[in-house]
Every structure is written in C-alpha cells, then in structure tokens.
Amino acid sequence: MKVAIIGGGIGGMALALALHDAGLADIAVYESALAVKELGVGINVMPHAVRELAELGLLDDLAAVGIPTAEFVLYSKHGQRIWGEPRGQAAGYRWPQVSIHRGELLGILHRAVLARLGPARLRTGHHLARLGQAGDRVRAEFVDRASGAAVGRAEADLLVACDGIHSVVRQTLYPDEGPPQWNGVTMWRAVTEGEPFLSGRTMIRAGDFGRSVVVYPISRRHEERGHALNNWVTLVKTADGRPMPAQDWVHTARIEDALAPFAAFGFPFLDVPALIRGAAAVYQYPMVDRDPLPTWDFGRVTLLGDAAHPMYPVGGNGASQAILDARVLARELALQPSIAAAVAAYDAVRRPATAAVVLANREGGPERPLALVEERAPDGFANLDDVVSREELEEIARAYKRTAGFDPETLNNRPSLSVRTATGDLLQAGTPPPA
Ligand SMILES: Cc1cc2nc3c(=O)[nH]c(=O)nc-3n(C[C@H](O)[C@H](O)[C@H](O)COP(=O)(O)OP(=O)(O)OC[C@H]3O[C@@H](n4cnc5c(N)ncnc54)[C@H](O)[C@@H]3O)c2cc1C
C-alpha cells in the first residue's frame, strides 16, 4: 500500500512515523517548503500525545528539549488567582505534559523520519496543486510554490491531507467552504529569555477572553542554566473597525502593538510588559478555526491535523490532536481488512472526537473561568467563592480533559494504540490492539 502524505508539519511527520511503526513502509511525505525549517514559537504536547510519542520511542528526545509543565494557573486581569491545578506527572499522569518550541518538536520528528524512513521518503519543494481519483488510485500534481512551475506527479493508494489550516486538499473536497473563520481576537506570539517565574514550570493565563496573556517556559537548555525561555501569547479582541490580520505563521508585528493593552499587567509574580518588551521578534496571527466537517472519508483521500480540524489555540490541543489522528489512522490501516474500512473507522473515531474539542475551544476550553469571573466580578473580588464555586471550577477543568481525551484515569488505563506486541511483533489484521 502506497501512502502519500501531503505536508511535513507536526501531523505529517507524526503520521509518517506512526505508519512506519505499524509496518507500512511505502510512504512519501510531500512538503511545500523548500526545506523543513524549525519555525514557530511555543507549543504544548499534552500527556495523551506524549504517550503516543513515547510509544514511538521519542520520549527521551522530547524530555531533553522541552519543559515538563508542572502546573496550570489562571489569574484575573487584576492578577487575582482564580484556579490552579497540577499538570503532567504531578497530576498523576503516567506521561508528562511537554511545553516545547514548535520548531524543536518538528526537528525531533523530522530527524526521526530521516533516520527511520530515509531521506528519499521526504520530498521538500513539493507543493500540492491538484489531486484526483481514478479507480483505486489517487493522483497528485505538485508545483514549486514560489514559481508555480510543475515539479512532479505521484500516484498512491491513499492520500492523507496534512497540509494545515489552508489545506489545498480540503479546499478541493469542500470548494464552497471559504477561508478560516476569525473570532475577532488577534494574537501576538513570541519568546523572551529571562528569569523563571512561579515554579519555573508553570503555565499561566491571565486576563479575560477580550484581553489576556498566556505564558509558559519551553526550554530545558535554558532551565539548566537557571534561566527561562518564556513563550508568550497576548490575545486582544480587535475586530471592531480593524481588518483581519494576515494568516500566515511568519507574519511579524511591532512590539508596541502587543504591549499597549498590557501596560497594567505588571503582576508581582510576572512583569508582563517587561516580558513583551524583551522579545526579539513578535509574530501576529488571528484566532481562527473552521466548522467541523460532515466527513473526512473520501475513499482514498482523508484529512488529518489542522487540515481536518483547525481549532483555537486554547487548551493546548492543536498538535496533540494531530498526533492522535496519526496514531489512530496508522492503527486502522494496519488492522482493518481494506483501505476503505480503515478510513471509515478513522473517520468514525477521530472526527467526532476532534469536533468536540473545536467546539469546546470556542467556549474557552479550560480557560472559561476567566470569562466567568470577568462577567461576574469585573472590578475584582474579595472572596473568589462569592464569584465562582470550587465545584464549578473543578467541573470546567474535568469536562475539558474528558472532551479532549486526557482525563488522567481514562488515559492511564486505556489500551495502547500501538499495533505491536510487548516483544515488538506486529499484530495481524483482525486482531485487537494490545492492552
Ligand atoms: C511555520 C509554522 C509555524 C507554526 N507555529 C506555531 C506555533 O508557534 N504555535 C502553535 O501552537 N502552532 C504553530 N503552528 C501550527 C501547528 O503546527 C499546528 O496547529 C498543529 O501542530 C497541527 O499540525 P499540522 O501538521 O496539522 O499543521 P502544520 O504544522 O501547520 O503543518 C502543515 C504543513 O503542510 C505544509 N503544506 C501546506 N500546504 C501544502 C501543500 N499544498 N502541499 C504540501 N505541503 C503543504 C506546510 O508547509 C506545513 O509544513 C505552526 C505551523 C506552521 C506551518
């Protein structure tokens, strides 16, 4: 079975590794960029996705680079603490939550693809322009993205769209869908080198849905030197009277634009204005997603990651859900009797699961308490219990974990998605996966 993977981002690389691990060898990854560059800022790999990367033998690489996030804390715009919970192994998971530079995460996956599959399986400079199905084969045509010149064609038994939020494959399958939907929130994202704050492994979000900041450290190398590389994102509702900002991942902005709304965020535990001023480059991005799709099952073509379910970056699940997609699709392709049955099974499991996360993120996900407190006590509070009960806060945190698939008890006890036995042998089609 020949599988063409369109896009060598987090999802495409994870799929290549998952397929290889599942014994599927005839794989090619077609990436639009001329080289795999380690772009981006911070990203989270939640315990449910770390489990999958650990089962693919990548836990040590992740741990050497990223920070095992130990707690997640919410503060109001006045710097009053609303909620705090342990994260990762501190919360009883068998796997850590890893906060990491997206480029370094991509680098880990990329190096593993080169080492395990060989460099010939990765075709950079191949931007998918067109695809079509004829009988049991999928045909793809590639161009050089800059010049538009044809660079080649490919045929495969299955084509998986891992081509991100502006997916050409999705546009082909759903021609009337249009661009991603913007909720009017603009995000400024950057990293700043500095001192550790709170536990040194804490992730915070402070503010409300209209104006807030997320900060977490992402570098083990910095931590070992007693420093921190703090990733930050400021989010401001800017829709009124301002055009939608550019939608690519490398659009830079002025530091002053990110700074202005946060002048009052000089909290005792973290001086947010100083953090913003300390960034070397700031990237601007609109908070966008797309509606869940009625199907990802197009016989010999399917979708994965942001191409399938772009979501607001709330709750740290974008990359994690792409990694889970990859593992489930690989398992189904290895165990189902046909490609059609595998794609149908993948669609049946992953589409509703990720649709629920897209919708939960629109409601603020685990960060919804910020909106509740802003609504009920915009000028601050003397006693948090008068504003929101402990039970309400606990239920928001628990419900999101259930929705996104990282409820600790369920995750710790669910069977592996691997198709290998404890001794490394591959299971045969028709056998249930190991516990
Ligand atoms: C350059 C870049 C920087 C990012 N930075 C961050 C960040 O800092 N923080 C964060 O939370 N998320 C970031 N993301 C998004 C994040 O990686 C995804 O939300 C998530 O990891 C899901 O991964 P994905 O593989 O589905 O999509 P992506 O990681 O976006 O990967 C899509 C890949 O497909 C390639 N591609 C696109 N169109 C075509 C085509 N027609 N033919 C072939 N290849 C194509 C792209 O070049 C890219 O490599 C970034 C994405 C990119 C592309």
Side-chain angles (χ1 to χ4, degrees):
M1 175 196 317
K2 177 166 184 182
V3 183
I5 298 173
I6 307 302
I10 306 293
M13 295 289 188
L15 179 63
L17 294 169
L19 291 172
H20 180 261
D21 185 68
L24 294 150
D26 198 0
I27 306 161
V29 181
Y30 299 93
E31 165 56 43
S32 171
L34 292 175
V36 176
K37 289 203 187 128
E38 300 194 359
L39 297 173
V41 286
I43 207 163
N44 266 274
V45 192
M46 306 302 276
H48 44 317
V50 173
R51 175 177 183 176
E52 302 313 323
L53 296 181
E55 291 180 8
L56 289 171
L58 297 172
L59 183 57
D60 290 348
D61 294 335
L62 273 183
V65 173
I67 292 285
T69 300
E71 68 172 340
F72 172 63
V73 186
L74 296 174
Y75 293 93
S76 73
K77 66 182 182 212
H78 305 291
Q80 291 185 292
R81 186 178 161 111
I82 296 171
W83 173 253
E85 63 179 28
R87 279 291 173 98
Q89 283 163 310
Y93 291 99
R94 287 165 57 199
W95 302 272
Q97 169 178 334
V98 180
S99 297
I100 189 169
H101 192 286
R102 177 201 178 260
E104 292 195 306
L105 172 62
L106 185 62
I108 290 170
L109 301 173
H110 179 208
R111 283 190 294 279
V113 166
L114 296 180
R116 296 177 190 184
L117 283 72
R121 299 264 166 211
L122 179 58
R123 318 263 161 83
T124 52
H126 279 66
H127 181 82
L128 180 84
R130 273 170 294 281
L131 73 152
Q133 294 191 60
D136 283 349
R137 302 291 278 175
V138 191
R139 295 207 176 109
E141 289 175 34
F142 300 95
V143 297
D144 173 86
R145 191 171 45 184
S147 67
V151 293
R153 293 160 183 263
E155 280 201 10
D157 301 300
L158 174 68
L159 180 145
V160 187
C162 304
D163 50 346
I165 188 161
H166 301 295
S167 169
V168 167
V169 181
R170 180 167 174 144
Q171 212 183 327
T172 308
L173 301 171
Y174 289 97
D176 300 329
E177 190 185 25
Q181 300 171 8
W182 186 36
N183 66 358
V185 172
T186 298
M187 302 184 288
W188 288 268
R189 315 160 78 112
V191 291
T192 301
E193 235 182 300
E195 296 302 308
F197 68 96
L198 293 170
S199 74
R201 293 179 167 184
T202 302
M203 174 177 196
I204 64 157
R205 180 151 178 186
D208 57 58
F209 203 67
R211 181 178 47 142
S212 66
V213 59
V214 181
V215 190
Y216 53 89
I218 57 169
S219 166
R220 195 60 170 250
R221 219 173 45 242
H222 286 73
E223 188 188 69
E224 279 164 4
R225 296 201 312 261
H227 289 274
L229 184 65
N230 287 317
N231 178 75
W232 56 263
V233 187
T234 58
L235 306 95
V236 182
K237 185 97 176 162
T238 57
D240 300 340
R242 291 177 65 170
M244 180 168 170
Q247 275 177 52
D248 65 65
W249 287 103
V250 288
H251 181 86
T252 49
R254 294 172 345 133
I255 288 188
E256 302 80 70
D257 291 343
L259 189 60
F262 295 90
F265 277 47
F267 304 129
F269 53 88
L270 182 67
D271 185 347
V272 174
L275 184 77
I276 296 173
R277 276 194 298 269
V282 179
Y283 300 93
Q284 186 180 320
Y285 195 77
M287 193 187 261
V288 287
D289 71 0
R290 292 181 183 276
D291 285 335
L293 290 174
T295 184
W296 303 345
D297 180 356
F298 291 88
R300 300 290 174 142
V301 177
T302 191
L303 304 153
L304 183 151
D306 279 5
H309 48 69
M311 54 183 66
Y312 295 160
V314 165
N317 260 274
S320 299
Q321 296 297 331
I323 292 166
L324 282 172
D325 292 346
R327 286 281 280 174
V328 172
L329 180 57
R331 181 191 64 176
E332 299 302 346
L333 286 167
L335 298 183
Q336 294 286 347
S338 66
I339 293 177
V343 171
Y346 163 71
D347 175 66
V349 173
R350 292 302 299 157
R351 194 170 43 79
T354 51
V357 187
V358 170
L359 300 180
N361 286 6
R362 286 183 183 171
E363 300 301 314
E367 292 148 27
R368 196 151 60 85
L370 298 183
L372 293 183
V373 170
E374 174 65 13
E375 197 182 290
R376 297 174 192 173
D379 299 325
F381 50 81
N383 185 359
L384 179 63
D385 292 336
D386 298 338
V387 181
V388 54
S389 71
R390 174 101 204 146
E391 291 71 37
E392 196 175 354
L393 293 171
E394 278 171 354
E395 184 45 31
I396 290 171
R398 252 198 316 267
Y400 187 74
K401 292 190 183 83
R402 277 197 302 267
T403 301
F406 67 109
D407 164 64
E409 206 173 316
T410 314
L411 174 62
N412 284 345
N413 296 311
R414 78 155 163 73
S416 168
L417 296 174
S418 177
V419 292
R420 289 189 181 271
T421 64
T423 53
D425 297 327
L426 282 172
L427 295 173
Q428 295 308 309
T431 15

